[in-house]
Each structure stands twice: as structure tokens, then as C-alpha cells.
Amino acid sequence: MAGRIPSLNWLRVFEAAARLGSFAAAARELNMTASAVSQQIRALEDHLGTPLFLRGARHVSLTDAGRSFLPSVQGSLRIVETTAGSLFGRRRRTALTVQVVHLFAVSWLAPRLAAFRAGHPEILLTLTSGNQVEDFVRSTADLRVYSSMDAIGGSGDGYLCSETLFPVALPEIAAAVTRASDLLQWPLIDVSAHGVGWLQIIETLDPELEVPEASLIFVDNTSLAFAIAASGGGIALARSPIGDALMRRFGLAPCVRGFRGLENRGYWIGTASGTAQGPAAEAFRSWLLSELTS
């Protein structure tokens, strides 16, 4: 198997020759000699262990391997050029990477992201997501927004808000679930990362109820749990207030009217090092806190 490609210029030359169908045309575009283009293409083929071009007298065409390779090369070069333009163009921008727990990102952050970008056009924001606390312990992002019982980064991590769990389902199912025993008539969808699960919910609703072996479905994120519940496949656990928007988007309603739910984890914001990471990170942190308290 080929290792790391020694020269990224090989890819630039390959892309130009493939796009133009000619080593000579690629040489003119790249301000190189035709022989230099040919040599770099040959070096790339030797490194990959397969021919990328069929050579003709005046033109070249891609082999099957070359056609398969071209979209990835073009996409990668486009990303590099776009990022370079954003960071180092006439309007320089500061890169900021934020890792956000999946539900927070999809339900709470996504609808508000346009407002942050409008207020901070100087920041080039990259968002990634995670589900487990371990994802954030290993994170190298400038900022991380995660859900946990405790801060995982020390004094540098700040508390954002708490969450409350309660059962939700399609409205017609929710209307029929008026007490704890009714929950047991349906598959119960549980998220493995929850600190609180169905047993605690049912015991809180009815401490005297003997819970037989329940029909459980385990998933790794609340979005998937909501999707299953929205298809009529069972009852999920909502995480309020962060998950409220997504719950409404899926058309789910609370079960057991009047049940206040159980407090579970809290949400935190911090950095891998536990210290501030510059003006862009501070701007995002301040905006997030302001949005949560408004």
C-alpha cells in the first residue's frame, strides 16, 4: 500500500493534466516544462504503483484508476484553496474549531449559528460533534461544549446549564401514556450516554410498580432516539431545554402529563488545556453564554 505522498505538487500536476487532457497544456497552465510535468506524473504513478494516464501522441486520457482518484484530488485541492483564501485573503479571518455534543449542535446551536456568523464575520468557524465524554477528553479543539456530571478540564471549564429527562412519543401515543405502567406497553428507547435511564424514570413515577423485563432499544444519540420515536417505534427520553427544538421538529409530545422529569447531566464549555484560546474563542464563549441566558 502506498504511504504518504512525498510531494503535494504531484497532485496539482495530476489534476491539471487530467482536467486539460494534455501534459503540454498542464505545463503551460502551471508554468512548467512538459518534461517536468511528465516526470512528476511518472513519480506519482510509481509511488501509487499503478498507471493514471493512457499516453497518446498529442493527448492523454485517464485510466480507470485515474478516474477514481481524480474527484478526491480535486476536492482536496479545492478545500486547501478555499481555506487559504478565507484565512489569508484580503479579508483575513481567524480560524476557530469548536467541538459540540451532538444534541446541542443539532437542536440548539444550528438554528442560532447564522446570528453568530453575522456578528463575527472575522471568524472562520469549524464545527465537529461528539457523543461520549471520552470524545471530548481527547479533543484538541479550541473550544468544546459537552455534557457531563462534572467538568472534565478543571477550573477552565464553565457551567452552561442543566438538563431534565422526560418521556416523549408521537402525540397519539403520548396521549395514551398517562401512568408509569403504560410506558411498559411500548419499546423504550434509551441513550447509552444518559446518566439517568428508564428504570429511574419509572421508579420516580411509581415507586410501587414492579418493573418486568422491559423492551429496550439502545442508541448512541438523542437525534436517533427521536427519529425512532417519530416513526412510531417507541418512546424516547427528551433532554430539555437543549433538545426542545429537535423534539418539536420531530413532532413529539411529552408523556404522563404533569411529570416534571428527572435532572440528569449539565452542559459545560471549556478548552483542552483549561485556558482561554484567544479572542475568537472568547467571542464564541461570550456569545454562547449570552444566548443561553437571554
Side-chain angles (χ1 to χ4, degrees):
M1 178 182 295
R4 179 177 296 177
I5 295 174
S7 172
L8 294 181
N9 196 53
W10 293 356
L11 301 180
R12 186 164 164 259
V13 171
F14 163 73
E15 190 279 333
R19 174 168 42 84
L20 298 171
S22 166
F23 288 178
R28 288 192 295 271
E29 179 176 290
L30 300 174
N31 196 26
M32 299 170 61
T33 65
S35 61
V37 166
S38 181
Q39 289 170 5
Q40 296 210 15
I41 293 294
R42 180 66 67 188
L44 177 60
E45 291 175 324
D46 289 345
H47 178 76
L48 297 176
T50 187
L52 300 173
F53 289 96
L54 298 172
R55 274 83 167 167
R58 294 180 177 273
H59 299 283
V60 294
S61 60
L62 290 169
T63 63
D64 289 342
R67 279 191 294 272
S68 297
F69 191 39
L70 180 60
S72 295
V73 172
Q74 289 178 323
S76 298
L77 292 175
R78 193 174 301 117
I79 290 171
V80 171
E81 291 170 355
T82 301
T83 304
S86 296
L87 290 174
F88 310 115
R90 284 178 296 178
R91 187 182 70 175
R92 290 180 175 254
R93 304 171 75 187
T94 302
L96 177 67
T97 300
V98 183
Q99 184 177 18
V100 188
V101 68
H102 183 80
L103 178 65
F104 196 107
V106 172
S107 181
W108 190 92
L109 181 58
R112 295 170 172 83
L113 197 57
F116 173 78
R117 295 184 70 250
H120 298 277
E122 77 284 0
I123 297 177
L124 179 63
L125 184 64
T126 298
L127 292 176
T128 64
S129 64
N131 281 322
Q132 306 294 333
V133 172
E134 291 76 14
D135 297 335
F136 296 88
V137 172
R138 298 189 297 265
S139 174
T140 58
D142 299 309
L143 282 174
R144 56 190 182 182
V145 178
Y146 60 93
S147 178
S148 177
M149 297 299 292
D150 302 293
I152 61 176
S155 59
D157 285 11
Y159 184 75
L160 293 175
C161 65
S162 63
E163 71 174 11
T164 301
L165 299 187
F166 54 89
V168 292
L170 286 175
E172 56 269 29
I173 296 176
V177 179
T178 61
R179 56 185 183 271
S181 58
D182 294 334
L183 292 169
L184 302 177
Q185 307 305 310
W186 296 91
L188 304 178
I189 310 161
D190 211 347
V191 177
S192 55
H194 282 160
V196 173
W198 279 107
L199 181 60
Q200 294 95 321
I201 293 286
I202 293 171
E203 286 181 345
T204 301
L205 284 167
D206 187 351
E208 303 300 321
L209 180 64
E210 292 188 9
V211 181
E213 184 175 345
S215 174
L216 292 172
I217 302 172
F218 287 99
V219 297
D220 70 348
N221 67 80
T222 300
S223 298
L224 178 55
F226 282 176
I228 297 171
S231 71
I235 302 175
L237 286 174
R239 299 168 67 175
S240 183
I242 296 302
D244 289 352
L246 192 63
M247 179 186 72
R248 291 191 294 268
R249 207 175 305 159
F250 275 105
L252 303 176
C255 304
V256 191
R257 180 175 297 182
F259 178 52
R260 295 181 178 272
L262 287 182
E263 187 170 335
N264 186 34
R265 302 174 169 216
Y267 289 88
W268 305 77
I269 185 170
T271 66
S273 62
T275 57
Q277 295 290 305
E282 287 302 316
F284 187 88
R285 185 197 297 262
S286 297
W287 170 81
L288 191 66
L289 289 168
S290 175
E291 287 290 315
L292 280 169
T293 56
S294 62

